[in-house]
Amino acid sequence: MKRSTIWIIAIVMGLSFVVLLALQISYIEEMAKMKREQFEESVRRSLYMAAHNMELNETLHYLEKNVKDTEGKALVNDSLTVNNGLQGGVQKSHQYSVVGDDGTIYSSFQLQTVSLSPRKVSSGLMVKRDREAIAEAQKTMQEAVRNRYIYQRSLLDEVVYSILYTASDKPLKERVNFRQLDQDIRTELLHNGIDIPYHFKVTTYDGTEVYRCPDYTDEGSEYSYSIQLFRNDPQAKTGTVTVHFPDIDSYIFSSIRYVIPALIFTGVLMITFIFTVVVIFRQKKVSEMRNDFVNNMTHELKTPIASISLASQMLNDKSITKSESMLEHLGGVINDESKRLRFLVEKVLQMSMFDRRKNVFKMKEADINEMVDNIANSFSLRVEHTGGKIYTQVEAVESTIYVEETHFSNVIFNLLDNAVKYSKPDQPLNIYLRTWNEGDRVFLSIRDTGVGIKKENLKKIFEQFYRVHTGNRHDVKGFGLGLAYVKKVIDLHKGTISVDSEFGKGTTFTISIEYIKE
């Protein structure tokens, strides 16, 4: 599959997952917002009803008190009138008067009891008298009901005046029954479907606190809800009850928690998809690198094979006169190219062994200062051939390290070989080797004045088969295994290697490894 096709599929799938995840997050936020609005509305309704019930209870209290006081001041006059001349007439008469505190008579009415005794008169006359008595009784009862209404109305007026001029004069803490208020708030919240702990306090109009619940804490106070008490009284006589809920976040979350698993699974699928895409691109990259490796290896092996083949043909060709110098030259070519082939094969085999972890190191103590001096001396001819020179600066006092000497030496040789390969063709190459101590470690830096490495390639140079190139044309022959081999060896020695380079000015490799303490 082409890289562009993979990119298109990855982008489409990635956008799909992102849109799906964004929709789920938006849905959760909208649900949480709706739940909070519903919660706030229920709390405000509950507080309104609790404040209203408190005002009703106060009104009922003063109503009962004033009814008892007013009824005690009512004057009741009873009189009895007996009509001996008639066998039918008024037997009892009760006179009622309602008197206020200032002596004013609000109403007066008379309740009469009428009884009729049978007489020896004509039946027509008895029916007539009965009808007149009934009409008189109805009239008397209607008058009594009207007067009773006036009486009850006067009682209510007194209660209203008492509340206006007596109750509002009391301090807020005397007017509010805090225990009853707490019970009303709890009851109203339950009626509105809210069953979570809450804390409340009562303050005056100017913010002075007059009461707070016994278990009051400030936790969750950022979400507070208030209602005004006695809002129809003068402002100086009003108060405020404020409620907040410590567990409001848990309450809101409980309504949307069933959506969380879907969000988690979507995230897991998105991570899995990203991981899959990364693996695909990595495998694609490794495949391309392996193809480059095969092409490079084929080209690298062809050169020594062709040289050996040509030398062999010349040795076998009887038509060519072979002098002693020619034989020596052909033998040298065959020997050199054989060594080159062996070196290339060993390099590939070493990396294979490292990948399978079958390589066994024969560790021993070695002096890194001596190692640097020896390698610099043996490599100086190749550097001087470019017109440059190797400079050594051994400053490490603690220089004894525990390493596999052959492989560790190969690391330094590979770095020096890369410096020569990537030198500027028209300028001399200088290489600087330096050792020093920091803490419990010894450091070795290899700095050259070659072409340098671009920043975008620095993170990839230690990858297997990776080589800096332009298209299919490589500036320097190789397999892309040298620096990968260096990194493997340093890691197996529990050391570190870093690179710093500026394109066009040179490169510095720094190796750090723990030294042996006495």
Side-chain angles (χ1 to χ4, degrees):
M1 185 179 295
K2 294 183 179 180
R3 183 180 291 269
S4 58
T5 305
I6 298 176
W7 269 113
I8 293 174
I9 295 175
I11 291 173
V12 172
M13 292 295 293
L15 288 176
S16 301
F17 274 113
V18 169
V19 171
L20 178 61
L21 197 61
L23 288 176
Q24 289 184 335
I25 293 175
S26 175
Y27 177 67
I28 291 176
E29 291 178 349
E30 190 65 25
M31 286 185 61
K33 181 180 178 182
M34 292 176 59
K35 187 65 177 180
R36 189 176 292 278
E37 290 176 353
Q38 181 184 2
F39 176 82
E40 292 176 352
E41 179 63 26
S42 299
V43 171
R44 292 191 181 96
R45 185 164 55 248
S46 301
L47 291 179
Y48 174 81
M49 291 304 301
H52 182 66
N53 291 338
M54 186 184 65
E55 294 182 7
L56 287 179
N57 290 334
E58 185 185 53
T59 303
L60 179 61
H61 168 73
Y62 279 95
L63 178 62
E64 293 175 348
K65 179 180 178 182
N66 281 272
V67 166
K68 291 180 180 179
D69 294 343
T70 305
E71 284 183 344
K73 297 177 183 179
L75 301 179
V76 180
N77 298 322
D78 292 341
S79 62
L80 178 62
T81 304
V82 179
N83 188 351
N84 293 324
L86 297 174
Q87 290 184 346
V90 178
Q91 299 297 322
K92 292 184 180 181
S93 176
H94 300 277
Q95 184 72 27
Y96 293 90
S97 298
V98 178
V99 184
D101 293 339
D102 56 355
T104 303
I105 299 176
Y106 289 103
S107 63
S108 178
F109 60 92
Q110 185 180 45
L111 180 62
Q112 297 176 340
T113 301
V114 180
S115 62
L116 297 176
S117 298
R119 297 182 59 185
K120 293 181 179 180
V121 294
S122 63
S123 60
L125 182 59
M126 290 182 62
V127 171
K128 181 179 179 181
R129 289 180 176 178
D130 289 343
R131 289 177 178 175
E132 291 176 353
I134 291 172
E136 185 69 22
Q138 289 178 346
K139 183 178 179 180
T140 302
M141 291 179 65
Q142 290 176 354
E143 184 69 20
V145 171
R146 186 180 67 82
N147 291 333
R148 184 62 179 172
Y149 167 75
I150 296 173
Y151 168 67
Q152 294 290 349
R153 182 176 179 179
S154 67
L155 293 179
L156 291 176
D157 290 341
E158 285 198 13
V159 171
V160 172
Y161 290 132
S162 177
I163 292 175
L164 288 176
Y165 297 107
T166 303
S168 60
D169 287 337
K170 291 184 178 181
L172 185 64
K173 61 182 178 180
E174 295 182 11
R175 297 182 68 185
V176 179
N177 186 336
F178 300 109
R179 181 177 298 178
Q180 184 63 39
L181 176 61
D182 186 11
Q183 184 177 353
D184 289 343
I185 293 175
R186 188 183 306 277
T187 302
E188 293 299 331
L189 288 175
L190 289 175
H191 285 170
N192 286 279
I194 300 176
D195 186 15
I196 57 175
Y198 65 90
H199 302 301
F200 78 98
K201 63 180 179 179
V202 179
T203 57
T204 59
Y205 78 101
D206 58 356
T208 303
E209 185 176 307
V210 296
Y211 178 81
R212 64 169 53 188
C213 59
D215 57 346
Y216 185 90
T217 62
D218 290 330
E219 183 181 0
S221 58
E222 60 272 14
Y223 299 106
S224 299
Y225 308 91
S226 303
I227 191 71
Q228 188 178 17
L229 300 176
F230 309 110
R231 55 187 176 278
N232 294 319
D233 287 1
Q235 184 178 3
K237 303 298 181 179
T238 61
T240 303
V241 56
T242 304
V243 179
H244 68 269
F245 301 83
D247 298 334
I248 181 174
D249 292 332
S250 300
Y251 177 80
I252 300 298
F253 177 77
S254 63
S255 63
I256 60 174
R257 60 189 175 192
Y258 66 91
V259 187
I260 301 300
L263 186 64
I264 293 175
F265 285 128
T266 302
V268 171
L269 288 175
M270 187 173 181
I271 293 173
T272 304
F273 168 73
I274 294 174
F275 177 77
T276 304
V277 172
V278 170
V279 170
I280 291 174
F281 276 103
R282 184 172 295 176
Q283 293 297 326
K284 184 73 173 176
K285 182 179 179 181
V286 170
S287 177
E288 293 175 354
M289 287 182 175
R290 289 185 185 276
N291 291 334
D292 290 343
F293 165 72
V294 171
N295 294 333
N296 291 332
M297 184 178 65
T298 302
H299 182 78
E300 289 287 339
L301 293 178
K302 277 183 178 180
T303 301
I305 291 174
S307 299
I308 294 173
S309 177
L310 181 59
S312 300
Q313 288 178 6
M314 292 182 66
L315 286 175
N316 294 328
D317 192 350
K318 296 180 181 181
S319 63
I320 299 177
T321 304
K322 302 163 183 75
S323 62
E324 184 176 351
S325 60
M326 180 180 290
L327 291 174
E328 185 178 353
H329 173 70
L330 293 175
V333 170
I334 294 173
N335 185 48
D336 291 340
E337 295 301 323
S338 298
K339 288 181 179 179
R340 186 178 177 187
L341 279 174
R342 185 167 59 251
F343 173 75
L344 294 175
V345 172
E346 286 179 355
K347 208 169 189 181
V348 176
L349 291 177
Q350 283 175 353
M351 290 305 302
S352 177
M353 286 189 294
F354 281 139
D355 287 340
R356 299 178 183 178
R357 300 188 181 276
K358 291 184 178 180
N359 194 50
V360 179
F361 278 2
K362 296 179 181 180
M363 309 287 283
K364 66 177 182 178
E365 294 183 7
D367 191 302
I368 193 171
N369 289 338
E370 294 180 2
M371 194 180 299
V372 168
D373 285 334
N374 294 333
I375 294 174
N377 291 330
S378 63
F379 209 82
S380 59
L381 290 177
R382 289 192 60 185
V383 178
E384 290 173 358
H385 183 69
T386 66
K389 188 177 179 180
I390 291 184
Y391 299 90
T392 60
Q393 186 177 0
V394 288
E395 299 176 353
V397 178
E398 300 290 346
S399 58
T400 305
I401 56 178
Y402 195 63
V403 293
E404 210 292 329
E405 190 171 6
T406 302
H407 285 288
F408 198 82
S409 298
N410 286 339
V411 166
I412 302 175
F413 271 115
N414 277 344
L415 294 177
L416 294 176
D417 186 61
N418 278 348
V420 174
K421 284 182 179 180
Y422 294 96
S423 62
K424 299 175 182 177
D426 55 343
Q427 296 181 12
L429 173 70
N430 292 320
I431 299 178
Y432 302 87
L433 300 176
R434 176 174 173 253
T435 64
W436 73 95
N437 291 118
E438 283 186 15
D440 60 349
R441 305 183 76 82
V442 60
F443 288 80
L444 167 63
S445 68
I446 302 172
R447 181 169 64 90
D448 64 64
T449 58
V451 296
I453 305 172
K454 294 181 179 179
K455 290 184 178 180
E456 58 266 25
N457 296 323
L458 283 178
K459 295 182 180 180
K460 304 177 182 179
I461 59 175
F462 293 114
E463 295 180 5
Q464 196 171 1
F465 308 126
Y466 180 81
R467 298 182 71 240
V468 180
H469 60 86
T470 304
N472 292 325
R473 179 180 175 273
H474 298 273
D475 298 324
V476 181
K477 303 303 178 183
F479 295 159
L481 297 176
L483 290 178
Y485 167 77
V486 168
K487 186 70 167 62
K488 284 280 188 179
V489 172
I490 296 299
D491 288 344
L492 291 172
H493 281 86
K494 298 181 180 178
T496 60
I497 182 170
S498 60
V499 58
D500 183 23
S501 182
E502 186 174 354
F503 187 70
K505 293 186 177 181
T507 304
T508 301
F509 287 91
T510 303
I511 299 172
S512 168
I513 189 170
E514 188 174 358
Y515 63 78
I516 299 176
K517 301 180 180 64
E518 294 182 358

